[in-house]
Amino acid sequence: MSKVRKYDVCIIGGGITGTALGYFLCKLGKTSIAIFEKSYLSSGSTGRCAGGIRQQWSTRSNVRLAMRSVKLFERFKEDVGMDIEYKQGGYLVLSYSEEEAEQFEKNVKMQREEGLDVEILSPKQVSERYPYINTKGLVMATFCQTDGHANPHKAVIGYAQAIRRMGGHIYTHTEVKSIEVTNGKVTGVDTTAGYFACDIVVNASGPWSNEVSKLVGVDLLTESYRHQILVTEPLENFFPMMAISFSGNFYMRQTQHGQFILGQGDKDEKPGLNFNVTYKFEKELASKMVNIFPFLKNVRIIRHWSGMYNMSPDAQPIIGGSDLVKGYYYAVGYSGHGFMVAPAVGEALAELIVFGKTLHTDISYLDIKRFEGTVVEKEKNVV
Ligand SMILES: Cc1cc2nc3c(=O)[nH]c(=O)nc-3n(C[C@H](O)[C@H](O)[C@H](O)COP(=O)(O)OP(=O)(O)OC[C@H]3O[C@@H](n4cnc5c(N)ncnc54)[C@H](O)[C@@H]3O)c2cc1C
């Protein structure tokens, strides 16, 4: 009779969440772990994202989570052993509405209270500092130098290599088809590579979070929406920061290799897994961005793809362990900002699993139980 394969923790999803969690579990000595990825590592939202890392949030808890993540990104090369093209070139947040600018003033006050060094810039100051930006219609901007960006593929590969070095296992092209629950407790997963017994299952399946959660009968309240994004041919490097606007609905950065990555949201997008791309997106985004960033005129688009935002009802992640099924944990619903917070989330969730409590960052407010209350604070700083 063949021996049953067993791990302490089985993680579903080989994106930034699954690999960050696997890395921190191994660091804490829990190396009996396996990550199951149905395709290749970073094939989900992570490998399709813009790689922005921002601490300028409207909720205090998101600021704390992002600040902890930045500390971990700053040490990534040294700790994890991979150069992920991490650049702290800052985030320039542009506001085109009086109402939003008022909210930004409040955000900055709170962010400074949290110890974040954030500047408020007038349109004139933006023009002086960045003469290549057309500030027509701009009401104000904020800037935080320690924000930045990194290459998401390299971050996942860095974590994955470290996991393997420490003795963890990663199964790519292996889909979890069902989760076995016995007497209200997780006991294993059935995959396209066979059955694996385990005590803990973590749902880190990004856009598929609710489908996977339904395997244990738990509704995580998440829904996925398509977001399109494109990359241009390379230009000489001169644009160090990520530029973003919630009222202007765009974000843009330059990669280490010179290409510009840019995208926008679409309020008419319907929930569902749709990986197609549209000409409408290219046309709308290109005409808007050439107006604000005139140097983009005649720069060619090289590639255009789509990925998913896994949305939660308050645009903040849903992270914790289930009360309904013992041994079932989740880190989902990042609502378009999961790459930047994943190191802090991975660290906190690993601590929760190993010690039963978090040591560095409080994530209790991200538990799904928050939706049982009547007041939910919605994060506003999302494109
Ligand atoms: C266009 C775009 C731009 C973005 N820009 C940013 C940004 O600038 N900064 C930022 O922080 N965030 C950004 N995001 C959001 C970010 O990409 C996500 O929040 C983050 O990557 C989520 O990571 P994850 O590991 O949780 O999910 P994913 O990366 O989606 O990983 C989940 C994995 O689970 C696998 N999986 C699913 N079901 C199963 C199963 N049954 N068995 C095995 N494997 C399974 C999938 O194949 C997938 O690889 C952006 C997203 C998009 C789409």
Side-chain angles (χ1 to χ4, degrees):
M1 212 169 77
S2 68
K3 207 167 152 245
V4 172
R5 291 171 294 181
K6 168 138 196 333
Y7 293 103
D8 289 351
V9 184
C10 286
I11 300 168
I12 307 172
I16 195 68
T17 303
T19 54
L21 172 63
Y23 169 81
F24 283 104
L25 283 169
C26 289
K27 286 284 278 184
L28 292 176
K30 196 168 251 321
T31 53
S32 171
I33 65 144
I35 296 177
F36 297 98
E37 166 51 55
K38 68 177 173 178
S39 181
Y40 56 90
L41 291 174
S42 87
S43 58
S45 298
T46 305
R48 297 157 188 274
C49 87
I53 299 166
R54 158 166 62 102
Q55 302 154 99
Q56 298 177 72
W57 292 95
S58 73
T59 63
R60 197 176 285 277
S61 38
N62 269 352
V63 173
R64 287 184 186 167
L65 193 62
M67 283 176 76
R68 177 66 191 161
S69 244
V70 163
K71 287 273 163 295
L72 296 167
F73 274 117
E74 283 170 346
R75 299 198 321 239
F76 199 100
K77 195 170 169 188
E78 199 186 324
D79 289 354
V80 185
M82 168 78 88
D83 177 356
I84 58 167
E85 299 168 19
Y86 180 48
K87 185 178 176 71
Q88 286 181 296
Y91 246 74
L92 180 68
V93 188
L94 300 156
S95 177
Y96 295 91
S97 122
E98 295 289 349
E99 193 190 339
E100 186 187 50
E102 270 174 39
Q103 177 65 41
F104 277 16
E105 302 265 4
K106 290 183 198 148
N107 293 351
V108 170
K109 184 172 174 292
M110 175 273 286
Q111 290 158 0
R112 286 178 178 160
E113 281 165 12
E114 287 299 317
L116 194 64
D117 191 359
V118 189
E119 295 173 80
I120 292 182
L121 302 176
S122 66
K124 185 162 170 284
Q125 286 170 310
V126 172
S127 295
E128 282 163 5
R129 210 183 270 195
Y130 312 104
Y132 46 81
I133 298 181
N134 171 12
T135 55
K136 189 162 176 271
L138 186 67
V139 178
M140 68 110 88
T142 65
F143 183 77
C144 174
Q145 184 66 64
T146 53
D147 286 348
H149 48 74
N151 181 324
H153 292 281
K154 289 191 171 176
V156 169
I157 299 306
Y159 277 140
Q161 288 178 349
I163 289 168
R164 288 181 170 130
R165 278 197 304 271
M166 290 187 280
H169 288 79
I170 300 175
Y171 296 80
T172 56
H173 302 281
T174 306
E175 184 171 354
V176 172
K177 305 294 273 181
S178 65
I179 302 172
E180 186 184 60
V181 177
T182 313
N183 299 326
K185 190 186 170 315
V186 163
T187 44
V189 290
D190 206 10
T191 78
T192 47
Y195 176 79
F196 294 82
C198 63
D199 304 319
I200 289 174
V201 164
V202 184
N203 180 350
S205 64
W208 293 267
S209 62
N210 225 5
E211 282 83 340
V212 165
S213 201
K214 281 176 185 160
L215 297 176
V216 292
V218 173
D219 184 359
L220 286 178
L221 308 174
T222 51
E223 276 187 321
S224 291
Y225 289 78
R226 173 176 66 174
H227 271 255
Q228 301 184 57
I229 180 165
L230 58 81
V231 65
T232 70
E233 63 184 326
L235 299 185
E236 200 178 312
N237 254 298
F238 68 95
F239 196 93
M241 72 283 190
M242 173 79 90
I244 190 165
S245 177
F246 315 113
S247 48
N249 184 26
F250 65 81
Y251 56 82
M252 182 171 86
R253 77 165 172 105
Q254 191 173 24
T255 68
Q256 186 176 289
H257 309 286
Q259 300 104 326
F260 280 86
I261 293 183
L262 46 153
Q264 66 174 8
D266 182 349
K267 61 177 174 18
D268 297 329
E269 203 62 62
K270 304 272 179 297
L273 296 171
N274 176 1
F275 289 97
N276 295 328
V277 293
T278 64
Y279 177 59
K280 175 176 167 272
F281 169 84
E282 271 183 33
K283 202 173 147 195
E284 274 179 22
L285 183 63
S287 56
K288 174 169 63 186
M289 297 305 263
V290 165
N291 185 30
I292 303 168
F293 305 99
F295 60 84
L296 285 176
K297 197 169 178 212
N298 298 328
V299 174
R300 280 167 290 207
I301 296 168
I302 298 296
R303 214 157 61 83
H304 168 191
W305 65 95
S306 67
M308 297 291 143
Y309 276 18
N310 190 232
M311 298 300 296
S312 75
D314 62 357
Q316 300 205 60
I318 301 177
I319 303 167
S322 174
D323 284 345
L324 302 170
V325 180
K326 201 159 178 286
Y328 175 57
Y329 291 78
Y330 36 80
V332 301
Y334 289 103
S335 308
H337 51 274
F339 175 66
M340 62 184 84
V341 294
V345 168
E347 178 189 57
L349 196 52
E351 290 165 356
L352 194 65
I353 289 170
V354 174
F355 305 121
K357 63 177 185 189
T358 57
L359 306 181
H360 291 88
T361 322
D362 177 21
I363 51 162
S364 56
Y365 65 95
L366 292 173
D367 196 274
I368 195 157
K369 286 202 262 319
R370 71 184 184 272
F371 299 111
E372 290 167 8
T374 45
V375 184
V376 180
E377 185 182 13
K378 194 162 177 157
E379 174 55 61
K380 299 176 189 74
N381 288 3
V382 180
V383 166

